[in-house]
Amino acid sequence: MTSVFHVATTGSDSSSGDAAGPFRTINRAAAVAQAGDTVIVHAGEYREWVKPRNGGLSDSRRITYQAAEGEHVVIKGSERITDWVDDGNMVWKVVVDNALFGDFNPYAEQVTGDWVVRPMTGIHLGEVYLKGRSFYEVGSRADVDDPPERTTVVDDRTDTTVPVPDVIQTPFVWYAEVGEQTTTIWANFQGADPNLEITEINVRRSVFYPVEHHLDYITVRGFELAHAASPWTPPTADQPGLIGPNWAKGWIIEDNDIHDAKCSAVSLGKEASTGNNYAAQRGDKPGYQYQLESVFAARQIGWDREHIGSHIVRRNTIHDCGQNAIVGHLGCVFSTIEDNRIYNIATKREFYGHEIAGIKLHAAIDVVIRHNRIHDTTLGIWLDWQTQGTRVSRNLIYANNRDIYIEVSHGPYLVEHNVFGSPVSIEVMSQGGAFVNNLVCGTLAVVPVPERPTPYHRPHSTQVAGYAAIHAGDDRYIGNVFLGGDRSLAYGPGSRDGEVAGYGTAFYNGHPTSLEAYIGMVGDPSLGDHNRFEDVKQPVYIHHNLYGPGATPVDGEEGAVQADVTATIVDEGDHVYLSATGFDAVRVPVVGGRDLAPTRIVGAEFEEPDGTPAVLDVDLTGVRKTGGPAGPLAEPGERIRVW
């Protein structure tokens, strides 16, 4: 028999928890809810870290936490502070008893760990908010009086300093000193009275996150979730977020407004026993080696389809986070991320490291990333290691520093019917990909990484089949539209050392066009078992793409057309429109898995998760296709609504 528990700000935790006698806290309901039960939370503000005590037993016997229909429910990891004291010069001070923080004081905890680059010290997990606006941390009490002008920030593409963007302003700043009994915070409120306004500070690490593993089949629906002092989440560490399953199976996180995580908002990530920032702590081995070890360690503790992953993250709005909107290593396998809007990720640029993106996944085995709108981030989607069976479909990605980056993976992975609208559109440090019917408005970069071999798996499984270096190539491009652009962006300061970027597919010049041709090139056994492969470019399969002025096809591409094509993205807030002309110059049939050559290293086909051949017949807007123009739209034209 299932139960329905109610929670209300007028309730009491000593009540029965029914509609007539609701609980006061969500945690009280979480302590008693069992498989099949529903927790309905009524309108109001709840300042707590919800820690589920139990999980569901199957997809049909979940524990569901949901906001009452039509009611606005806010769960925050912050506390409102109303006893600020005027300290002069628009600066106010508050002394907080450390008992408020329990055993986790975010003003004593720094943004640190593997792959943090700048600053190595000084930025903490605490935060000050005035009417929902987050402040910047400064390094001294004097800096609160006279906030230092920020003239440069780190560019996440080149790892160099660049002039500060106009959107970054720093007069709203704070500084804290942590003592044995109290924490003192100074903040410059620029003339506002913090005791009369809504002024909050970070207190809790997470907002909705279990402390135990394997609490499966939980649904979280319809809340506003905000203000978490979540730590840096590299793939070699425990990865707690504002919300997440904490190494479990079958969660559904849907229809929420999730914002202001110090680092990561939604975590589908790993846990601590398989590694926890050992590279930064010990200094004896690179993070790459510890990450490799974590894959095998995870297998030993039950990393497989039966116990981990298969989560759904859908229809959420996720914004204003310091590191990621969605992060996950190992724990994200077999999941679906769809219909989310993600924006303002890492745009404050308070800290910099190599794990920042709107969606940052490692080992995204059979993960579907579908129909998300991602804009105003430093990097839209970053798929890193073991991008195998992954499908990136029908996403609208634009106005970012970079749109999509796929690193040290062997495929097979599918990227189809997407809009990549930023000046830097696609970066591939991988092999074994298929790019079909995308609109690529900016540059394409392809880079071999032979010095970093990574694992690959049996198809649709976490079982490791081997590992190999990344030589680039073994890629497929069919029915894409490539726009031209500013050549200085492709080959000038915007390119990293050793990177070859351009408009179109000309990087692949010199690659053989079939596996048979490749085998012929490496067929001399007298050159040695592996030496004969080292300097031979992998085959590529590129045909029937459309190139605008300034974009260049690979030499000899079958069906390539160069024509006057245009594409304009118009963002009107809730709605986004795409105007596309000239796409009819190339027409292609619907592409399926049988039309794509198997990957060379993994030896795997392009398949659906159930093992049937993949079918790529739905356009950006959800229209089913029978063939048609190149690009992501079945019927391109003026002002097509795409969101």
Side-chain angles (χ1 to χ4, degrees):
M1 181 176 178
T2 60
S3 300
V4 176
F5 298 101
H6 290 259
V7 181
T9 56
T10 57
S12 169
D13 281 353
S14 62
S15 297
S16 61
D18 59 13
F23 294 134
R24 173 59 183 88
T25 66
I26 305 169
N27 269 310
R28 176 70 181 101
V32 298
Q34 302 289 331
D37 290 347
T38 299
V39 176
I40 297 177
V41 186
H42 293 274
E45 192 170 75
Y46 300 81
R47 295 187 185 272
E48 53 182 307
W49 172 356
V50 181
K51 302 175 181 178
R53 295 278 296 277
N54 304 297
L57 297 177
S58 67
D59 191 48
S60 61
R61 299 179 65 190
R62 304 181 150 273
I63 298 179
T64 298
Y65 297 81
Q66 64 184 45
E69 186 174 356
E71 300 185 31
H72 185 205
V73 180
V74 184
I75 313 173
K76 288 185 174 180
S78 62
E79 289 289 339
R80 187 172 181 181
I81 302 297
T82 58
D83 54 350
W84 295 87
V85 176
D86 191 340
D87 211 38
N89 196 27
M90 298 188 291
V91 176
W92 296 68
K93 178 178 77 171
V94 66
V95 179
V96 181
D97 191 318
N98 287 343
L100 179 67
F101 306 115
D103 59 1
F104 177 84
N105 186 336
Y107 301 89
E109 302 289 337
Q110 297 192 21
V111 176
T112 187
D114 294 351
W115 287 289
V116 170
V117 178
R118 300 187 185 94
M120 295 300 291
T121 60
I123 297 296
H124 295 83
L125 303 184
E127 190 58 271
V128 176
Y129 307 92
L130 175 65
K131 295 188 289 187
R133 173 178 180 165
S134 65
F135 285 27
Y136 285 82
E137 183 178 5
V138 292
S140 70
R141 170 64 182 86
D143 286 341
V144 185
D145 275 319
D146 185 18
E149 182 180 359
R150 300 183 77 195
T151 58
T152 62
V153 295
V154 176
D155 183 280
D156 70 310
R157 175 174 165 76
T158 61
D159 193 13
T160 59
T161 56
V162 297
V164 63
D166 293 338
V167 297
I168 297 180
Q169 301 174 1
T170 58
F172 291 88
V173 298
W174 64 269
Y175 168 72
E177 293 180 356
V178 178
E180 187 173 336
Q181 303 296 328
T182 62
T183 294
T184 304
I185 303 172
W186 293 267
N188 191 323
F189 289 96
Q190 294 296 303
D193 185 337
N195 295 320
L196 299 179
E197 306 286 358
I198 298 176
T199 307
E200 299 155 299
I201 65 170
N202 271 1
V203 172
R204 302 169 188 87
R205 193 204 70 183
S206 300
V207 174
F208 204 113
Y209 202 89
V211 295
E212 297 181 14
H213 300 159
H214 301 297
L215 299 185
D216 303 330
Y217 299 110
I218 289 176
T219 296
V220 184
R221 176 188 300 134
F223 299 105
E224 180 183 350
L225 306 164
H227 298 174
S230 51
W232 179 254
T233 53
T236 48
D238 189 14
Q239 291 187 303
L242 184 154
I243 181 173
N246 192 16
W247 201 246
K249 179 177 179 177
W251 276 46
I252 298 175
I253 301 170
E254 62 185 6
D255 300 311
N256 302 288
D257 178 11
I258 307 171
H259 62 92
D260 286 283
K262 188 70 177 190
C263 289
S264 295
V266 178
S267 172
L268 308 178
K270 68 179 285 296
E271 46 67 70
S273 75
T274 51
N276 199 17
N277 288 312
Y278 294 156
Q281 292 175 10
R282 300 172 180 175
D284 59 341
K285 289 186 283 191
Y288 160 81
Q289 194 65 34
Y290 279 116
Q291 185 170 336
L292 189 63
E293 292 174 5
S294 75
V295 175
F296 294 94
R299 284 288 300 174
Q300 294 168 12
I301 64 166
W303 178 50
D304 55 36
R305 183 190 291 272
E306 288 69 36
H307 299 95
I308 299 297
S310 297
H311 307 297
I312 297 173
V313 181
R314 64 188 172 201
R315 299 189 303 270
N316 302 284
T317 299
I318 312 172
H319 57 101
D320 293 284
C321 303
Q323 183 185 349
N324 312 116
I326 302 172
V327 71
H329 180 208
L330 303 169
C332 64
V333 290
F334 315 115
S335 295
T336 298
I337 300 169
E338 62 182 350
D339 299 322
N340 301 285
R341 181 182 177 187
I342 295 170
Y343 64 96
N344 289 356
I345 305 301
T347 52
K348 281 183 70 177
R349 296 176 179 267
E350 281 194 289
F351 47 86
Y352 167 72
H354 295 303
E355 302 299 330
I356 291 174
I359 299 175
K360 177 65 196 285
L361 302 180
H362 292 77
I365 297 170
D366 280 11
V367 170
V368 175
I369 302 173
R370 178 172 55 217
H371 196 244
N372 300 281
R373 175 185 173 189
I374 306 173
H375 61 97
D376 294 285
T377 73
T378 56
L379 172 54
I381 297 175
W382 186 350
L383 301 175
D384 198 350
W385 287 55
Q386 301 144 280
T387 303
Q388 184 169 332
T390 314
R391 186 160 176 171
V392 181
S393 302
R394 304 173 47 225
N395 297 282
L396 177 61
I397 310 176
Y398 65 100
N400 303 296
N401 238 28
R402 301 183 281 165
D403 283 337
I404 188 169
Y405 176 26
I406 303 171
E407 186 176 7
V408 291
S409 297
H410 308 283
Y413 64 87
L414 279 166
V415 180
E416 47 99 4
H417 290 95
N418 301 282
V419 170
F420 299 114
S422 302
V424 179
S425 291
I426 301 174
E427 294 177 295
V428 180
M429 290 188 179
S430 291
Q431 52 203 18
F435 296 80
V436 180
N437 284 108
N438 300 288
L439 169 59
V440 184
C441 297
T443 57
L444 165 67
V446 183
V447 183
V449 194
E451 71 276 12
R452 280 199 288 150
T454 56
Y456 55 93
H457 300 262
R458 294 177 60 86
H460 316 297
S461 169
T462 60
Q463 183 174 338
V464 177
Y467 80 108
I470 306 298
H471 292 288
D474 193 22
D475 292 327
R476 301 132 190 86
Y477 293 82
I478 305 170
N480 300 285
V481 177
F482 294 95
L483 302 186
D486 181 359
R487 308 305 293 184
S488 66
L489 178 65
Y491 298 104
S495 296
R496 290 175 290 200
D497 290 344
E499 179 177 276
V500 179
Y503 295 92
T505 56
F507 168 82
Y508 291 101
N509 286 339
H511 285 254
T513 58
S514 69
L515 181 61
E516 292 74 19
Y518 175 80
I519 291 173
M521 297 168 70
V522 298
D524 184 354
S526 67
L527 298 177
D529 178 61
H530 65 276
N531 305 79
R532 56 195 169 111
F533 292 90
E534 288 182 352
D535 297 321
V536 178
K537 293 182 177 181
Q538 294 193 91
V540 294
Y541 313 88
I542 302 174
H543 59 89
H544 291 93
N545 296 288
L546 175 59
Y547 300 84
T552 308
V554 66
D555 288 344
E557 177 183 342
E558 179 185 355
V561 172
Q562 292 192 282
D564 288 331
V565 294
T566 64
T568 304
I569 300 167
V570 179
D571 184 336
E572 296 186 356
D574 290 339
H575 298 163
V576 182
Y577 299 87
L578 174 63
S579 295
T581 64
F583 288 19
D584 275 321
V586 169
R587 299 187 68 86
V588 291
V590 169
V591 174
R594 291 191 175 95
D595 302 309
L596 303 168
T599 54
R600 184 179 77 86
I601 291 294
V602 184
E605 309 278 348
F606 288 84
E607 297 176 331
E608 304 288 349
D610 64 2
T612 60
V615 179
L616 290 63
D617 65 347
V618 179
D619 87 341
L620 176 68
T621 65
V623 172
R624 196 162 295 278
K625 300 167 52 178
T626 58
L633 295 173
E635 297 183 8
E638 295 290 341
R639 200 170 168 79
I640 305 296
R641 181 176 165 184
V642 292
W643 187 269

